[in-house]
Every structure is written in C-alpha cells, then in structure tokens.
Amino acid sequence: MTLQRRILLTGFEPFGGEAVNPSADVVQALHGGDLAGHEVVGLVLPCEFDRSLRVLGEAIAAHEPSLVLALGQAASRGEISIERVAINLDDARIADNAGAEPIDAPIVPGGPAAYFSTLPVKAMVSALREAGLPAGLSCSAGTYVCNHVFYWLQHRLAGTGVRSGFVHLPLLPVQAARRPGQLPSMGLQLMTNGVRLALQTALTVATDLRVSGGSLG
Ligand code: PCA
C-alpha cells in the first residue's frame, strides 16, 4: 500500500473584532482536495501565540506532511502576499484571542534572528500573476501571531527536507465593506484559486526563479 502524500494547509480563526478570517475560509474550501497527487489537510489555528504552536505541532506529527503552507489575513494588503522571511520577534499591537500581548519577546530564545521561506516564492508570485491574480513578494510577515507561527514552522522543519512557508491574504469584501474606502479586499474565489495555484507551484517547482524580486513579470 502506498501512503497518500499530504499537504498541511493552515489558516486562522477570526481575530481583532472580525467575524470571519479569509484564511480560514480558503482552508475550508481546499480541505480534502487533491493537488498534484497530494491530499490537502486543512487546519484552522487559534489566533493565540501559545496554543497556535501546540495545535500546529500536533498536526505536523499526526499527518507527516510533505509540505506545509500557513495562511493568514493582512488587512492592509491588496494582493496575495507570498512571504519571504520570518523573524524571531513577537511584538503584539493588540491582544491575541487569549488576551496575550507579548512585547519584544523572542519566539525561540537563542534561535536564529530569521528564517527564509523554503518555498519557491518568486515562481509562486510569477505563476499567480500569469494567471491574472494579483500577487506580490513580501519581506515582512509582521510581528504578531502570523509571523510567530511562520517562524516556529520554519524552525520546526529546518533540516527535515519538508518545505514550508507563509502567505498573507487581503480582507474579504464583507470585511472591507465595514470601513468604506479604507482597505482593499479580494473575493473568496480569487483567493482560493490563488492559494491552489501557489500550492501547485510549490509542489512542482524545485528550484526558484533566478530573477530579482523587483523585476518579476
Ligand atoms: N493574521 C494575523 C494573525 C492571524 C491572522 O490571520 C497576523 O497577520 O499576524
């Protein structure tokens, strides 16, 4: 019997007074599907510094995925943002869903200052743009729960050969509509198509494009 290869795709619960989180909706849409011979296992993480890592760690141990992609919401972004780097720093602007608000704290004490995504980030941006989906490279996933999960994920999987990374998504239109004219948004279907294509690219491209991030077509 050949074991089915799995991708772990995570999103987050709503936070900061929102009723929804696009990352959770995209995870729900892709959960159970098949991508390039891999089953997509979807998981929604609590937006909590502590518990998110426990839930993620247990899922990695249980599913032994061959690739992990974490998703989160970034209200100011108008594009699907492929994150390049996670930093070893928590500096919360608002309390998480459990009330924790770490300031200037390392995620892994004594750990490296930063980790790079091990996904082909430029090929992912390029594939999305070619498909007509707004996408960009980002050099900061912030210092809140998303960067926390991203950093810990890269630390946990370093040296294992399992590739992993992070993608930030814009708000859903229903969220942006509450603050007219202030924030960009993107529909769920576009975001779902974009994440599916980003995953397909990550699974099929072994070596990233050798072009400057600034000149990606
Ligand atoms: N976005 C937050 C945490 C959860 C989420 O979806 C962030 O960017 O840190």
Side-chain angles (χ1 to χ4, degrees):
M1 194 184 91
T2 49
L3 282 176
Q4 167 82 42
R5 289 177 297 172
R6 282 180 291 261
I7 300 168
L8 182 61
L9 180 67
T10 72
F12 281 100
E13 287 173 346
F15 69 102
E18 297 285 346
V20 291
N21 187 322
S23 65
D25 290 3
V26 169
V27 163
Q28 207 171 15
L30 294 175
H31 172 71
D34 183 277
L35 277 181
H38 293 70
E39 180 194 350
V40 180
V41 176
L43 174 71
V44 177
L45 301 172
C47 188
E48 298 175 25
F49 284 95
D50 277 352
R51 212 154 58 85
S52 58
L53 302 189
R54 278 209 300 282
V55 175
L56 177 58
E58 282 165 14
I60 290 172
H63 298 293
E64 298 183 339
S66 43
L67 186 144
V68 184
L69 180 66
L71 306 174
Q73 160 192 314
S76 60
R77 311 270 176 95
E79 303 180 320
I80 296 174
S81 289
I82 315 293
E83 299 292 352
R84 302 182 79 172
V85 58
I87 59 173
N88 193 9
L89 177 69
D90 287 337
D91 193 18
R93 183 177 50 84
I94 54 172
D96 71 9
N97 286 356
E101 204 171 351
I103 306 287
D104 293 349
I107 298 162
V108 175
Y115 281 103
F116 291 113
S117 171
T118 47
L119 302 181
V121 291
K122 292 177 176 174
M124 291 159 76
V125 169
S126 177
L128 266 64
R129 289 183 180 170
E130 273 172 33
L133 297 164
L137 280 178
S138 163
C139 286
S140 173
T143 55
Y144 193 50
V145 184
C146 285
N147 174 73
H148 184 80
V149 159
F150 183 21
Y151 182 91
W152 186 86
L153 179 63
Q154 302 310 106
H155 185 75
R156 166 72 180 75
L157 295 177
T160 64
V162 179
R163 299 168 96 192
S164 54
F166 198 97
V167 171
H168 262 123
L169 301 171
L171 294 179
L172 290 162
V174 70
Q175 297 173 283
R178 288 174 49 212
R179 287 152 288 191
Q182 288 178 45
L183 292 167
S185 67
M186 192 182 286
L188 178 60
Q189 191 61 53
L190 280 188
M191 291 202 249
T192 303
N193 291 347
V195 171
R196 187 189 292 112
L197 185 52
L199 280 170
Q200 263 158 358
T201 306
L203 287 168
T204 51
V205 173
T207 309
D208 202 4
L209 300 177
R210 287 277 298 164
V211 291
S212 154
S215 61
L216 273 177

